[in-house]
């Protein structure tokens, strides 16, 4: 599948008011106004934020994993995935799902933030191919 | 019909051969270039080993010193003191010593070899977008504005986020740019030359466990060596006890001098962990009450126990730089920096197709800088050395994946290199592994060399 010729990108930056945890800004960018509902967009970003919070959550389960790991000198991760990695896979599935159901039909594409070092959520906006007199 | 024309051109996959050096993707020869892994084009100053599995800083000399000190001292302890102690006291002593030693070694290697939490640099699109936003904010003046900062309120405290000009990102809170490794590192603690790596978010707990266990090990060895000497001197007298095991003296000296610094460092880091601060923040006094009555650490969880648990047993985030992933085909590739100099030039794979005109134009530009590098007995990892002058001599160097033309290579080890267009080049006493000697003229001689898997064409 060849992408159409014209595309522009919008970057959703990180939101640091809750500290160093991974959270993205829910402010609706103006470039997407004509393409998608503000509510839909906010819901996507909010779900992503919740998933990242789940990955970094401190609690009984993560402490147990940490202690077990240090007891086995971290060799346990040769056969087991860390909690964080499991959630990242969940996020990847969620993004794929969102792309297929909501964003692709509107000519948009979400890029998984992990591919951008968790710095931004990159949204590619594909311009309508029927621009110009070409038929 | 403008779009239509370019569409059809794209579909024919017609691409004009550019006279300037081009990426392998654009050559019509469709040569199957081996896919590169991301660590090979990593822009920082790190060194990678084991095909990207191991990551260290550039200067690793002190790390080897640390390793040697630990191995030698422990080796001497196990060989000279343990037999005596196991006999006289209990065999549990060497066992505990052994466990401690393995733990120290494990945590040291883990600290040194892992990614400290490097933040990958912004992609060109991101950087452009940020620049645009900042320009708009500054009123679009055009000239470079002063260092950019963003203010954010975290947990009631105002924190300034700085813009990193090298990585082209706004640094997250607690991140800092390490000038030695040329990377932004998350939750940057400090760059430790003793472990040969930065200490950041992903390896801080290993670093702490390393210095803690090393303190225990040092005290353990110190105590038991003294015990050995004392017990031995009860039997034979002090001087003969020393004569019988001179190694013990060395161990005592090493341990004595190490104990102060290592135990001190462990204590310092225990304090940092319990207050959830980084060395960076503590040195700058960022959260010190001296700065203001309302100044407090917004990252602290409030109590020591939670802070410790969070630092040592919290979730370990995966590496963001994906060292072993493969580079995407459409990403423009620059030749990786070699000794700080970035060479934009022909890549290894298309060397045999590069025209001589190309070589000559590159020669002038690259010559001066290359001569300096080549004549030092330096290690060149993945360097692209093109068009070295006839006078250049590469002695005792290790050149990996390089292209060397009209030059003399003496006593060098060339691995996976392409030696092309060599006229009167002499390759003496060298080991050429898996290299391609192409178009070497009759005058070129290969003396006393071990040539493995070489395809010599047109020689």
């Amino acid at each position: 599948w060849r992408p159409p010729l014209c595309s522009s990108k919008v970057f959703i930056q990180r939101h640091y008011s809750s500290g160093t945890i991974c959270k993205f800004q829910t402010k609706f960018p103006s470039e997407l106004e004509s393409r998608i509902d503000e509510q839909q967009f906010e819901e996507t970003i909010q779900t992503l934020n919740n998933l990242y919070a789940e990955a970094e959550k401190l609690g009984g389960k993560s402490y147990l994993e940490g202690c077990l790991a240090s007891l086995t000198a971290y060799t346990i991760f040769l056969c087991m995935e860390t909690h964080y990695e499991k959630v990242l896979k969940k996020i990847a599935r969620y993004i794929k799902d969102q792309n297929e159901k909501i964003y692709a039909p509107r000519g948009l594409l979400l890029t998984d933030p992990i591919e951008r070092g968790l710095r931004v959520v990159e949204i590619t906006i594909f311009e309508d191919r029927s621009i110009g007199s070409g038929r | 019909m403008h779009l239509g024309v370019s569409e059809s051109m794209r579909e024919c996959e017609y691409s004009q051969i550019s006279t300037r050096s081009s990426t392998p993707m654009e050559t019509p020869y469709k040569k199957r270039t081996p896919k590169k892994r991301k660590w090979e084009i990593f822009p920082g100053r790190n060194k990678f080993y084991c095909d990207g599995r191991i990551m260290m800083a550039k200067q690793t000399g002190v790390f080897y010193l640390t390793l040697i000190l630990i191995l030698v001292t422990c080796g001497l302890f196990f060989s000279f003191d343990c037999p005596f102690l196991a006999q006289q006291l209990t065999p549990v002593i060497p066992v505990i010593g052994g466990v401690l030693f393995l733990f120290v070694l494990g945590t040291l290697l883990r600290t040194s070899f892992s990614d400290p939490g490097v933040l990958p640099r912004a992609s060109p699109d991101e950087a452009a977008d940020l620049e645009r936003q900042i320009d708009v904010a500054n009123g679009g003046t055009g000239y470079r504005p002063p260092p950019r900062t963003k203010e954010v309120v975290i947990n009631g405290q105002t924190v300034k986020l700085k813009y990193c000009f090298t990585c082209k990102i706004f640094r997250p809170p607690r991140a800092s740019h390490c000038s030695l490794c040329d990377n932004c590192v998350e939750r940057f603690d400090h760059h430790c030359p003793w472990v040969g790596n930065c200490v950041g978010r992903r390896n801080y707990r290993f670093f702490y466990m390393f210095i803690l266990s090393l303190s225990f090990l040092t005290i353990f060895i110190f105590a038991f060596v003294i015990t050995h000497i004392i017990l031995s001197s009860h039997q034979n007298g002090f001087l003969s006890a020393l004569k019988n095991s001179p190694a013990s003296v060395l161990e005592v000296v090493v341990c004595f001098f190490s104990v102060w610094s290592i135990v001190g460092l462990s204590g310092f880091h225990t304090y940092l962990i319990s207050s959830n601060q980084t060395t960076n923040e503590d040195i700058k006094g960022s959260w010190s009450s001296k700065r203001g009555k309302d100044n407090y650490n917004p990252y602290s969880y409030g109590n020591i126990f939670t802070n410790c648990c969070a630092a040592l047993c919290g979730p370990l985030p995966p590496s963001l730089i994906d060292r072993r992933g493969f580079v995407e085909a459409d990403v423009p590739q620059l030749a990786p920096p070699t000794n700080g100099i970035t060479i934009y030039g022909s890549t290894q794979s298309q060397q045999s197709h590069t025209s001589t005109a190309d070589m000559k134009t590159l020669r002038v530009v690259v010559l001066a800088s290359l001569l300096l590098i080549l004549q030092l007995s330096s290690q060149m990892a993945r360097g692209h050395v093109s068009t070295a002058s006839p006078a250049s001599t590469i002695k005792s160097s290790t050149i990996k994946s390089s292209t060397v033309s009209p030059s003399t290579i003496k006593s060098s080890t060339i691995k996976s290199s392409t030696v092309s267009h060599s006229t009167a080049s002499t390759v003496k006493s060298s080991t050429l592994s898996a290299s391609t000697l192409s178009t070497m003229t009759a005058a070129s001689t290969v003396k006393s060399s071990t040539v493995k898997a070489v395809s010599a064409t047109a020689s």
Side-chain angles (χ1 to χ4, degrees):
Chain A
W1 173 69
R2 267 194 197 284
L5 286 172
C6 296
S7 64
S8 62
K9 294 185 183 181
V10 178
F11 297 99
I12 313 295
Q13 298 286 341
R14 284 270 292 267
H15 189 58
Y16 292 115
S17 65
S18 308
T20 53
I21 62 159
C22 185
K23 203 172 162 189
F24 293 98
Q25 292 180 3
T26 48
K27 181 172 155 293
F28 189 58
S30 52
E31 293 93 330
L32 297 176
E33 262 165 25
S34 55
R35 298 295 194 118
I36 194 170
D37 274 338
E38 182 173 344
Q39 196 134 10
Q40 186 65 64
F41 169 80
E42 263 190 48
E43 198 192 303
T44 308
I45 303 291
Q46 201 55 54
T47 314
L48 281 177
N49 286 342
N50 291 342
L51 284 168
Y52 282 114
E54 189 195 318
E56 296 185 43
K57 197 174 75 151
L58 294 171
K61 192 173 174 209
S62 68
Y63 289 148
L64 195 64
E65 191 188 56
C67 287
L68 187 68
S70 55
L71 284 175
T72 61
Y74 291 86
T75 51
I76 197 167
F77 292 133
L78 292 170
C79 33
M80 197 180 94
E81 255 185 350
T82 66
H83 173 64
Y84 207 110
E85 284 167 348
K86 283 197 196 113
V87 179
L88 284 179
K89 282 203 173 154
K90 206 164 144 187
I91 290 170
R93 281 195 302 269
Y94 174 73
I95 289 179
K96 186 162 173 250
D97 186 60
Q98 288 279 293
N99 271 333
E100 280 171 8
K101 291 195 186 138
I102 298 165
Y103 289 85
R106 291 172 170 77
L108 299 169
L109 181 71
L110 285 176
T111 306
D112 195 335
I114 195 75
E115 291 175 35
R116 297 287 177 265
L118 291 183
R119 293 183 304 266
V120 287
V121 177
E122 186 180 298
I123 304 177
T124 318
I125 305 170
F126 296 109
E127 295 301 323
D128 206 346
R129 288 179 105 197
S130 57
I131 289 171
S133 56
R135 202 147 298 216
Chain B
M1 279 297 287
H2 169 70
L3 285 173
V5 169
S6 48
E7 264 289 282
S8 58
M9 274 172 71
R10 251 186 184 234
E11 280 163 44
C12 307
E13 291 198 350
Y14 169 80
S15 56
Q16 197 176 22
I17 304 167
S18 57
T19 47
R20 297 178 80 243
S21 38
S22 54
T23 63
M25 305 307 148
E26 286 168 19
T27 57
Y29 291 93
K30 296 272 182 203
K31 223 183 157 184
R32 260 188 61 203
T33 48
K35 270 194 157 184
K36 279 197 172 174
R37 290 197 191 259
K38 287 183 187 167
W39 66 265
E40 299 180 54
I41 56 163
F42 186 69
R45 255 185 253 139
N46 293 87
K47 276 197 204 159
F48 295 91
Y49 304 103
C50 288
D51 199 20
R53 289 182 180 91
I54 291 175
M55 176 176 177
M56 294 181 78
K58 194 173 170 210
Q59 245 83 23
T60 51
V62 189
F63 165 70
Y64 292 119
L65 175 68
T66 310
L67 209 55
I68 288 169
L69 272 175
I70 294 174
L71 289 174
V72 167
T73 313
C74 291
L76 290 174
F77 177 70
F78 289 121
S79 333
F80 292 97
D81 299 276
C82 279
F84 180 88
L85 289 164
Q87 248 182 4
Q88 297 285 93
L89 292 174
T90 162
V92 177
I93 294 172
V95 171
I96 296 177
V99 168
L100 267 177
F101 167 69
L102 288 173
F103 196 74
V104 164
L105 214 55
T107 46
L108 171 65
L109 296 179
R110 188 77 201 226
T111 312
S112 306
F113 293 166
S114 58
D115 170 15
V118 174
L119 289 168
R121 298 192 185 181
S123 63
D125 291 323
E126 279 176 60
D129 186 64
L130 267 179
E131 296 259 338
R132 225 180 304 127
Q133 280 180 25
I134 293 165
D135 266 343
V136 165
N138 282 349
T141 40
Y143 65 89
R144 186 171 169 169
R148 307 152 180 176
T149 53
K150 236 199 257 185
E151 288 208 348
V152 68
V153 178
I154 298 174
N155 217 358
Q157 283 281 320
T158 313
V159 176
K160 273 212 175 97
L161 299 183
K162 292 203 185 136
Y163 180 78
C164 181
F165 284 102
T166 315
C167 304
K168 301 217 171 36
I169 56 169
F170 273 99
R171 270 182 231 135
R174 311 192 97 178
S176 188
H177 190 95
C178 176
S179 47
L180 289 162
C181 303
D182 205 24
N183 293 318
C184 272
V185 178
E186 269 188 300
R187 202 190 181 279
F188 181 74
D189 195 84
H190 66 285
H191 180 100
C192 187
W194 298 95
V195 303
N197 205 355
C198 288
V199 177
R201 185 176 175 201
R202 294 187 75 247
N203 64 354
Y204 185 56
R205 69 191 67 186
F206 306 120
F207 175 74
Y208 179 72
M209 291 202 275
F210 165 62
I211 54 173
L212 196 65
S213 53
L214 190 62
S215 324
F216 286 132
L217 183 67
T218 319
I219 294 172
F220 183 85
I221 292 181
F222 189 70
F224 281 106
V225 168
I226 300 275
T227 312
H228 174 204
I229 293 176
I230 291 174
L231 288 177
S232 185
S233 57
H234 278 322
Q235 292 175 3
N236 308 327
F238 185 66
L239 282 173
S240 62
L242 288 181
K243 246 197 292 181
N244 285 341
S245 78
S248 308
V249 182
L250 177 67
E251 290 167 53
V252 166
V253 168
V254 169
C255 288
F256 182 75
F257 287 113
S258 320
V259 129
W260 304 109
S261 44
I262 305 228
V263 172
L265 197 63
S266 307
F268 175 61
H269 278 279
T270 309
Y271 158 71
L272 286 181
I273 283 185
S274 56
S275 59
N276 201 332
Q277 285 186 83
T278 63
T279 306
N280 215 11
E281 287 165 354
D282 186 73
I283 288 177
K284 286 187 194 162
S286 311
W287 313 122
S288 153
S289 49
K290 291 181 196 160
R291 279 213 183 186
K293 254 201 260 180
D294 288 331
N295 206 24
Y296 60 89
N297 185 0
Y299 310 110
S300 172
Y301 293 96
N303 68 74
I304 293 177
F305 182 68
T306 317
N307 284 339
C308 290
C309 284
L312 302 175
C313 309
L316 190 65
S319 173
L320 294 173
I321 56 176
D322 188 26
R323 320 189 273 284
R324 287 178 45 80
F326 288 105
V327 177
E328 294 296 307
D330 52 10
V331 171
Q333 293 178 45
L334 304 172
T338 321
N339 290 11
I341 299 169
T342 311
I343 304 167
Y344 297 80
S346 41
T347 56
Q348 176 198 353
S349 54
Q350 42 150 170
Q351 195 54 39
S352 40
H353 301 290
T354 313
S355 62
T356 36
D358 253 347
M359 302 274 263
K360 280 175 186 167
T361 47
L362 281 171
R363 186 195 289 250
V364 176
V365 174
V366 171
L367 195 57
S369 46
L370 278 179
L371 272 174
L372 198 60
I373 301 164
L374 293 173
Q375 280 165 16
L376 294 167
S377 307
S378 57
Q379 236 184 359
M380 296 195 324
R382 300 207 68 80
H384 296 260
V385 180
S386 54
T387 66
S389 77
S392 74
T393 321
I394 310 162
K395 292 180 188 167
S396 312
S397 58
T398 311
I399 311 166
K400 297 177 194 170
S401 306
S402 63
T403 55
V404 185
S405 58
S407 57
T408 314
I409 310 160
K410 288 182 189 168
S411 313
S412 59
T413 314
I414 310 172
K415 296 177 191 170
S416 310
S417 65
T418 313
V419 181
S420 60
H421 302 294
S422 312
T423 49
S425 69
T426 325
V427 183
K428 289 180 189 169
S429 312
S430 59
T431 315
L432 297 161
S433 329
S435 61
T436 314
L437 300 168
S438 57
T439 63
M440 286 178 78
T441 66
S444 62
T445 40
V446 181
K447 288 181 188 171
S448 317
S449 55
T450 316
V451 177
K452 296 176 195 170
V454 165
S455 57
T457 56
S459 51

